[in-house]
Amino acid sequence: MFRTALRNVLAHKARLLMTVLAVMLGVAFVSGTLVFTDTLSQAFRGQSAKSYDDVAVAVSMRPDPEEAAKNPGLSQATVDKVAKLDGVTGVQPRVDGFAGVPDAKGKLIGSGWSNKGTNFAPGPDGKDPALAFTSGNGPAEPGQIALDKETADKGGYQVGERVRVATNGPVKEYTLSGVFTTEDGAVNAGGSLVVFDAPVAQKLYLKPGYYSDLNVSAAPGADDEKLRDEILKVVPKAATAQTGQALADQQARDIESGLGALNQTLLAFAGIALFVGVFLISNTFTMLVAQRTKELALMRAVGASRKQITRSVLAEAGIVGLVASAVGYLLGIGLAMGLRSGMAAFDMKVPDGDLVLGATPVLSAFGVGVVITMLAAWLPGRRAAKIPPVAAMNSVHATPNAKSLVVRNSIGAAITAIGAVLIVLGANTGGDEGRMTIAGGAFTTLIGIIILIPFLSRPVIALIRPFFVKAFGISGKLAGLNAVRNPRRTGATASALAIGLTLVTGLTVIGVSAGQALDKMTVEQIKADYMVAMASGDGLSEEALAALEKTPGVTAVSPQQAGAFDLKGSYVSASGVTPGAIEKVLKVDVVEGSLAGLADGQIAVADKTAAKRGLKVGASVPVEYMDKKKGELKVAAIYKDSEFLSPVLVDTKILDAHDPMKYIPQIFVSTDGGPTAANEQALVKALGDNPAISVMDEKDIRDTFGGQINLLLNIMYGLLAMALIIAVLGVVNTLAMSVFERQQEIGMIRAIGLDRRRVKRMVRLEAVVISVFGAIVGVGLGTFLAWAIGKTFESSLPGYGLVVPWDRVGIFLLLAALVGVLASLWPARSAARLNMLTAIKAE
């Protein structure tokens, strides 16, 4: 039987090619993902270990605001005490924060969050062990800086030149004293590192005379843990200490965790691709078995048992799976290398390291490929074994009996109903629990639809068939009839497209709906012409606020300064704003009282917060500020709750008096004449042409808040393209098999007058009908799932409502039709080229 299976594989190489491609693509995704994440993990672990090679103990101090007022960090006296401990050979004190430099066009080099500044920390030999200078030296005076080599190269900076440096304060110019290479995490993440003289860095980021971190080196053979315990005795209680090894191990675990999320996401899409491939494989083997019924009947007649027939089909599947897995694994290695190169192309720096080819990707590739192929072929093999020899010899195409179709449809309807009930239940439950219920219901519904899809094919195709008949005449009519001739085959082919478009439609509807909700929550709440913020996400300085207020043409300026205080027994977040300007730059819907009271030191409270705490306009409320001082504030106004506004609005002067560490995430600006190029340039100039500060108009604000959703959707579309490619292969395979089976029929219709052009059109339209049918099912199910998932986070995203993007749905249907046209090119050409006399004689 094995020899028979091998012979059949070799005899049907062309027909099995599509199956090989489907399995190969899925396996390549799985193995490529595993090789890619293994390689990245080892490279980052090696880099992490290397960065702590010379660190015996790392000390860090990040005190809370109350402690910071008394002891902001590690003083020079503490550094000296640590340096004098037995076994310590060196101490590198550090303080860091945001710093960035512009390129030749004035744009910030790096990603904002990964742009870092720190201090030069030389040892007795005058060298900083964390920096390897390729030219020049470290900064030796306040007016000097050093840059990492990549940043210097991108900006075209040479030693001795002047460099503009942006921090949270005004932009300043420094002389470049040196260029270095480093293993610093910010640089390795694609950012930049600016090194200042220590007193300058302390003044910028903390307080003169204080550091936030110490890297302690020890003599060879020293006990790092014992040294850590000794260090803890001489540093403030708010400080923490870890051995260099422990810190490297922790970073390695963090890397594993971060890559694990990426790994699971990519494997999830690989699973989707393989799941779609199951239908292609099953369809292929079903048609191959149907075409070989006489051969199988003869084998049964000469003594082959049902088990042997099934094993023969499974052996064919196993051979196909092995071949596809081997090619897929090699393709996966190439995919991993391509992903790594792609990250570098998008400035996502990856540490150098060898490609890791472990046992897990190999075993996973062959295990998944062979198991999926054999699993998909099991049902066709079992169905072939059940055909009695005499019945098989008398019928080339064994049609399912009415009872089997009734049972299948009944089971499919029941499973679909159960899944739909679970989805509705999850939508009403809401939250994480509701989403888990929806996930289970979605899977159940999808299985039910797959079982039921042959039954659905007749009514759905009957609806769209008149359009094809009207537009294409006899070719359209024949295409519609051919599409429903074998509902099981049509259903299996359409299932692949339905699954892919269910996911695509669901993600699109959720993304568009959430995007519009965010738009309402942000842009519609902003009356200002511009929003100013730091590219790093850090707070803006008071100097920036003062500069904007003095800019010619500016009519209103107000920050949203972050703050909080205890209001009637519990803390509530508050926004420090400019009285008289806040209502001009943000939409504040006052329902009672007046915002004019803010100028008199009063507060405005959101209606939900006011109702929860029993507050009314005119009431005096006891408060406790962040510095633990107590006071009393009067309620001037109550406004409609908004996700964009804090529960309490207060004059910035009140927050400033009790919060020495001010945090201003955004400043809103209205200008005379509205958003114009001249007004924007005036604001940029007022801020000192600071490349780290973004001046955003309405479009930029939309991109800031909604751009992540569009980016995520585009990534998802790219990943789901694999499943859609496999679906295309399924349509090609089905049509090719269909043309092969209908040679005699095609010869007859050619003989009675249907020319080659209309035969091609008939086959193409058949593919379009099947593809559009799958797309309709997918769009409908995807929209239903999007509605249910959206219901689970309506409460956490005010303004959310289901939005069906009909333009994109129309594009999906057109793309499905295009898929059908492309998939039919080869089968249609084959059908048109059949010799009618030879085809008529074919059995």
Side-chain angles (χ1 to χ4, degrees):
M1 296 302 291
F2 179 77
R3 285 198 300 270
T4 303
L6 183 60
R7 185 204 65 192
N8 286 326
V9 169
L10 295 174
H12 301 103
K13 294 187 292 292
R15 298 178 204 174
L16 289 169
L17 178 62
M18 299 300 176
T19 297
V20 171
L21 287 173
V23 178
M24 181 187 73
L25 289 172
V27 168
F29 217 145
V30 171
S31 58
T33 295
L34 294 174
V35 170
F36 175 65
T37 51
D38 284 351
T39 300
L40 251 63
S41 179
Q42 180 167 296
F44 279 117
R45 279 199 304 268
Q47 182 190 78
S48 177
K50 188 176 180 181
S51 64
Y52 289 102
D53 271 350
D54 299 324
V55 179
V57 178
V59 182
S60 179
M61 187 169 174
R62 300 287 193 277
D64 57 42
E66 185 178 354
E67 175 69 22
K70 298 179 292 183
N71 196 0
L74 301 159
S75 65
Q76 186 60 50
T78 301
V79 175
D80 294 338
K81 287 179 184 179
V82 172
K84 292 176 183 178
L85 292 174
D86 290 340
V88 173
T89 59
V91 179
Q92 290 79 48
R94 302 283 182 196
V95 60
D96 54 49
F98 170 76
V101 297
D103 59 17
K105 295 181 180 179
K107 300 296 183 181
L108 186 68
I109 297 173
S111 321
W113 61 269
S114 61
N115 294 329
K116 196 172 88 172
T118 189
N119 61 285
F120 185 52
D125 59 356
K127 296 180 179 180
D128 188 326
L131 312 174
F133 281 86
T134 58
S135 62
N137 300 289
E141 55 186 61
Q144 295 182 338
I145 61 161
L147 286 177
D148 68 275
K149 189 175 186 306
E150 288 201 17
T151 301
D153 289 344
K154 288 177 182 177
Y157 298 116
Q158 302 291 328
V159 172
E161 291 184 349
R162 300 288 284 175
V163 180
R164 297 175 70 244
V165 180
T167 58
N168 290 355
V171 176
K172 293 183 179 180
E173 282 196 352
Y174 298 84
T175 300
L176 183 62
S177 66
V179 176
F180 58 83
T181 59
T182 179
E183 294 297 329
D184 186 272
V187 176
N188 289 322
S192 62
L193 181 62
V194 181
V195 177
F196 300 91
D197 184 42
V200 174
Q202 289 173 331
K203 185 178 179 181
L204 283 171
Y205 302 127
L206 196 58
K207 188 176 180 181
Y210 286 90
Y211 299 95
S212 54
D213 299 280
L214 303 179
N215 288 338
V216 182
S217 303
D223 187 333
D224 291 350
E225 293 187 1
K226 184 178 178 181
L227 181 58
R228 177 200 60 197
D229 295 338
E230 292 299 317
I231 289 172
L232 285 172
K233 293 176 183 179
V234 300
V235 297
K237 290 182 179 179
T240 59
Q242 283 182 284
T243 65
Q245 184 60 51
L247 206 55
D249 292 343
Q250 179 62 49
Q251 284 202 1
R253 287 192 293 270
D254 293 342
I255 289 165
E256 292 282 355
S257 176
L259 290 176
L262 173 65
N263 197 23
Q264 290 171 9
T265 302
L266 292 175
L267 286 177
F269 284 96
I272 293 168
L274 287 167
F275 186 55
V276 171
V278 166
F279 298 98
L280 169 55
I281 299 164
S282 181
N283 220 12
T284 300
F285 278 95
T286 297
M287 289 184 282
L288 285 174
V289 167
Q291 290 173 11
R292 288 162 41 209
T293 48
K294 286 191 175 183
E295 175 190 328
L296 294 172
L298 283 171
M299 291 174 64
R300 289 292 312 281
V302 297
S305 66
R306 288 186 175 184
K307 288 184 178 179
Q308 286 178 311
I309 295 294
T310 302
R311 284 199 292 264
S312 174
V313 175
L314 291 178
E316 290 180 46
I319 294 168
V320 171
L322 279 171
V323 173
S325 297
V327 178
Y329 174 69
L330 295 175
L331 188 61
I333 294 173
L335 179 63
M337 295 170 67
L339 284 171
R340 187 170 176 175
S341 300
M343 290 181 72
F346 285 97
D347 289 332
M348 300 170 66
K349 190 174 178 183
V350 180
D352 293 331
D354 296 329
L355 195 69
V356 178
L357 301 177
T360 302
V362 179
L363 295 175
S364 298
F366 283 89
V368 167
V370 174
V371 169
I372 290 292
T373 309
M374 294 183 70
L375 184 66
W378 175 76
L379 193 59
R382 187 169 174 270
R383 192 179 296 134
K386 284 185 175 181
I387 300 173
V390 174
M393 294 172 95
N394 289 334
S395 176
V396 176
H397 305 292
T399 57
N401 57 50
K403 182 180 178 182
S404 70
L405 289 176
V406 170
V407 170
R408 175 179 177 141
N409 294 338
S410 300
I411 293 172
I415 294 174
T416 303
I418 292 169
V421 169
L422 287 173
I423 291 171
V424 174
L425 181 63
N428 292 326
T429 302
D432 291 337
E433 183 181 346
R435 284 188 281 273
M436 291 298 292
T437 305
I438 291 172
F443 182 76
T444 305
T445 303
L446 203 56
I447 296 299
I449 291 291
I450 289 166
I451 296 172
L452 201 60
I453 205 164
F455 170 76
L456 295 174
S457 64
R458 289 186 181 276
V460 174
I461 291 176
L463 286 174
I464 61 178
R465 188 168 59 202
F467 298 100
F468 288 92
V469 174
K470 188 174 182 180
F472 303 103
I474 189 64
S475 296
K477 183 176 182 179
L478 289 174
L481 293 172
N482 289 332
V484 295
R485 176 183 296 181
N486 191 330
R488 281 187 172 175
R489 181 192 297 158
T490 298
T493 305
S495 293
L497 273 171
I499 293 168
L501 281 171
T502 294
L503 297 169
V504 169
T505 304
L507 289 170
T508 300
V509 172
I510 292 171
V512 171
S513 300
Q516 289 203 11
L518 282 172
D519 214 39
K520 290 179 183 177
M521 195 174 73
T522 55
V523 177
E524 291 186 10
Q525 293 289 327
I526 299 173
K527 296 165 69 175
D529 298 318
Y530 298 99
M531 182 176 82
V532 179
M534 290 290 291
S536 62
D538 293 332
L540 290 153
S541 66
E542 289 183 271
E543 289 90 341
L545 178 60
L548 290 170
E549 289 173 337
K550 296 175 183 177
T551 304
V554 169
T555 57
V557 177
S558 178
Q560 266 216 104
Q561 182 175 325
F565 43 69
D566 188 299
L567 186 70
K568 293 192 74 173
S570 62
Y571 272 92
V572 62
S573 63
S575 287
V577 301
T578 301
I582 183 63
E583 60 267 40
K584 296 177 182 177
V585 295
L586 292 178
K587 182 180 178 182
V588 186
D589 192 354
V590 178
V591 295
E592 189 179 350
S594 171
L595 293 178
L598 293 175
D600 299 324
Q602 299 177 16
I603 60 173
V605 185
D607 53 1
K608 290 182 181 178
T609 302
K612 185 177 179 180
R613 289 174 166 77
L615 303 177
K616 296 185 180 298
V617 172
S620 293
V621 189
V623 297
E624 182 178 89
Y625 298 102
M626 293 298 291
D627 59 1
K628 300 301 180 183
K629 292 183 180 179
K630 296 184 179 180
E632 196 171 83
L633 294 172
K634 188 177 181 180
V635 178
I638 293 175
Y639 58 90
K640 192 172 181 181
D641 191 78
S642 165
E643 286 294 315
F644 199 72
L645 295 169
S646 295
V648 175
L649 299 181
V650 62
D651 191 341
T652 54
K653 295 176 183 177
I654 295 176
L655 291 183
D656 291 346
H658 301 281
D659 186 4
M661 301 179 70
K662 301 168 188 175
Y663 178 59
I664 305 175
Q666 304 113 4
I667 299 174
F668 297 94
V669 183
S670 288
T671 56
D672 188 14
T676 64
N679 281 337
E680 183 174 341
Q681 186 57 39
L683 296 180
V684 171
K685 186 177 180 180
L687 293 166
D689 288 319
N690 192 328
I693 298 180
S694 300
V695 177
M696 295 175 275
D697 59 15
E698 183 177 314
K699 180 181 180 300
D700 296 326
I701 295 170
R702 276 197 162 93
D703 290 341
T704 299
F705 289 102
Q708 294 297 322
I709 291 177
N710 292 327
L711 176 62
L712 182 62
L713 279 176
N714 290 334
I715 292 172
M716 296 298 181
Y717 290 159
L719 292 171
L720 287 169
M722 181 75 75
L724 295 177
I725 289 171
I726 294 174
V728 172
L729 297 178
V731 178
V732 174
N733 210 26
T734 295
L735 290 176
M737 297 291 186
S738 179
V739 168
F740 179 82
E741 289 177 358
R742 288 162 29 211
Q743 289 185 64
Q744 191 177 55
E745 174 190 320
I746 292 171
M748 288 292 293
I749 59 176
R750 284 290 316 284
I752 61 175
L754 198 69
D755 59 23
R756 288 185 174 184
R757 181 174 57 85
R758 284 189 286 181
V759 168
K760 283 184 180 180
R761 183 185 297 168
M762 176 188 73
V763 177
R764 289 196 193 107
L765 291 176
E766 183 179 346
V768 170
V769 168
I770 294 172
S771 299
V772 171
F773 164 55
I776 290 171
V777 173
V779 166
L781 184 55
T783 304
F784 177 51
L785 289 174
W787 164 81
I789 294 170
K791 293 286 287 183
T792 64
F793 53 75
E794 270 185 346
S795 58
S796 60
L797 187 59
Y800 180 88
L802 183 70
V803 178
V804 179
W806 294 110
D807 53 342
R808 298 196 191 188
V809 169
I811 291 172
F812 295 158
L813 294 175
L814 287 175
L815 286 175
L818 181 61
V819 163
V821 172
L822 294 176
S824 67
L825 291 178
W826 174 50
R829 186 167 178 269
S830 299
R833 295 180 66 185
L834 284 175
N835 183 292
M836 66 181 76
L837 296 178
T838 305
I840 290 171
K841 291 190 294 180
E843 293 185 6

